Amino acid sequence: MPPGPPLPPPNPQEAREIPLRRSWPVALVHAVQDRVGAALGWAPRPAATMQNNIVWRGGVQVMRVDLHMHTEVSHDCRTPLRDIPAWMLRTNTRVIAVTDHDQHRGGPELQAIIRDQGLDDRLSVIPGEEVTTSEGELIGLFLQERIPPKLTPEETVREIRAQGGLVLLQHGFDPLKRYRLRPEATERIAADIDIVETFNSRLSRHRWNRAAAEWARARGLPMSAGSDAHTLRDIGEAWVEAPFRTIHTPEQLLSTLREGVVAGRWTHPAYAFGQKQWRNFNGQFRR
């Protein structure tokens, strides 16, 4: 059975196009990069040649949704934005949220890259930010501009809401997660949380994912998964599997999460740290 008809384009009143602060067209920048790559002997990777893995279950096309990952825009990550679309297609991770540390521009820039490659009918990018509040980190999704760090959790929530965004509680309740939101802050803003990350690939113990799931179920909140990726190959290691669709609005995302199933691969942080160093080192010699 073929997939259902695509969702209609979002109402302009529900989702405004995010202006990009770019001094050069994306296509021109990529043309220059391709010429440099050709001069250095690198093989080009046009969109038409990208591996495009499609998964069907019960006659329905499904996809993976990863709502917590980082790019070269984060201070502790080197993943080039331009490499991400091919990896999304390869892993069937059709929807991601770019949640760089205290930065916002990665999401809109990746959206522009995907449009430039003609993939915006297959891949969706949600602009977000992992915001450092005065009491730990909190994720905002569907943001239109950067939220400054060091605000209180309540002020951060108000900033996210002012942009029409969603509040995502990540990291579960892991006491060893250095930047998790403090428990007392979590309770203060509990009524303002829209989504709970109930599978994070990088927690100290998998039991904290279960604790987050119990907390979300008790409040009837949608659950998400996040790879917390800091290398390209980490993207999609935690996911919500749901019927395929493109995502443009908060309402579409919430509906998708409620239909989906949370899953993922947990990796012990010590092993994950070594893996990150090796992948970063190995990536210097591969395009």
Side-chain angles (χ1 to χ4, degrees):
M1 180 186 300
L7 293 171
N11 188 315
Q13 295 181 346
E14 297 178 342
R16 293 183 296 161
E17 185 174 355
I18 300 171
L20 298 177
R21 299 175 181 174
R22 304 183 66 88
S23 56
W24 294 93
V26 175
L28 178 59
V29 174
H30 290 173
V32 172
Q33 290 176 332
D34 286 338
R35 288 184 178 275
V36 173
L40 296 175
W42 294 337
R45 289 293 304 277
T49 66
M50 291 181 182
Q51 184 178 351
N52 183 26
N53 288 328
I54 298 176
V55 178
W56 298 79
R57 298 198 192 283
V60 176
Q61 183 182 348
V62 297
M63 64 180 181
R64 290 183 175 184
V65 180
D66 181 353
L67 296 184
H68 184 181
M69 51 81 60
H70 300 272
T71 75
E72 60 188 325
V73 177
S74 285
H75 64 87
D76 59 351
C77 181
R78 300 180 184 177
T79 303
L81 289 165
R82 197 182 181 198
D83 290 349
I84 293 174
W87 185 256
M88 292 174 68
L89 290 173
R90 179 176 174 180
T91 59
N92 194 38
T93 308
R94 304 282 165 163
V95 180
I96 64 170
V98 177
T99 55
D100 288 310
H101 296 292
D102 298 320
Q103 298 293 333
H104 168 260
R105 66 178 176 86
E109 290 191 10
L110 183 55
Q111 285 179 326
I113 291 170
I114 285 174
R115 285 195 299 268
D116 184 58
Q117 294 180 338
L119 298 172
D120 49 355
D121 61 338
R122 288 184 273 177
L123 303 177
S124 301
V125 172
I126 299 168
E129 180 183 345
E130 188 165 32
V131 185
T132 305
T133 79
S134 60
E135 299 181 59
E137 292 177 331
L138 198 59
I139 286 178
L141 302 177
F142 294 97
L143 300 182
Q144 301 172 41
E145 58 186 31
R146 177 179 181 264
I147 295 175
K150 303 304 182 183
L151 301 175
T152 67
E154 290 86 351
E155 290 170 333
T156 301
V157 167
R158 285 197 291 271
E159 290 286 333
I160 294 171
R161 288 277 184 261
Q163 298 186 36
L166 298 175
V167 179
L168 188 157
L169 177 66
Q170 78 279 33
H171 296 157
F173 299 88
D174 186 351
L176 297 182
K177 201 70 174 177
R178 181 179 178 186
Y179 296 110
R180 70 169 179 142
L181 194 66
R182 293 177 185 172
E184 55 271 26
T186 299
E187 291 307 314
R188 293 201 312 269
I189 67 167
D192 294 306
I193 293 171
D194 299 300
I195 303 169
V196 181
E197 182 182 78
T198 61
F199 196 107
N200 181 297
S201 295
R202 299 293 180 262
L203 297 187
S204 63
R205 297 180 66 183
H206 190 43
R207 61 174 289 189
W208 302 117
N209 283 323
R210 293 194 292 270
E214 292 172 3
W215 194 88
R217 277 194 292 268
R219 290 159 177 79
L221 293 172
M223 304 182 196
S224 71
S227 61
D228 206 351
H230 283 73
T231 73
L232 179 66
R233 297 179 68 85
D234 293 337
I235 297 172
E237 287 196 347
W239 64 89
V240 173
E241 184 175 283
F244 170 76
R245 68 198 63 175
T246 54
I247 302 293
H248 301 285
T249 68
E251 293 75 19
Q252 290 173 350
L253 177 63
L254 293 173
S255 175
T256 296
L257 294 179
R258 291 191 184 279
E259 291 182 53
V261 177
V262 174
R265 290 186 291 272
W266 175 78
T267 304
H268 191 280
Y271 179 80
F273 177 79
Q275 188 179 61
K276 174 184 174 182
Q277 304 310 310
W278 167 249
R279 287 175 174 174
N280 284 336
F281 174 78
N282 193 40
Q284 297 179 32
F285 305 99
R286 300 173 62 183
R287 187 168 186 243

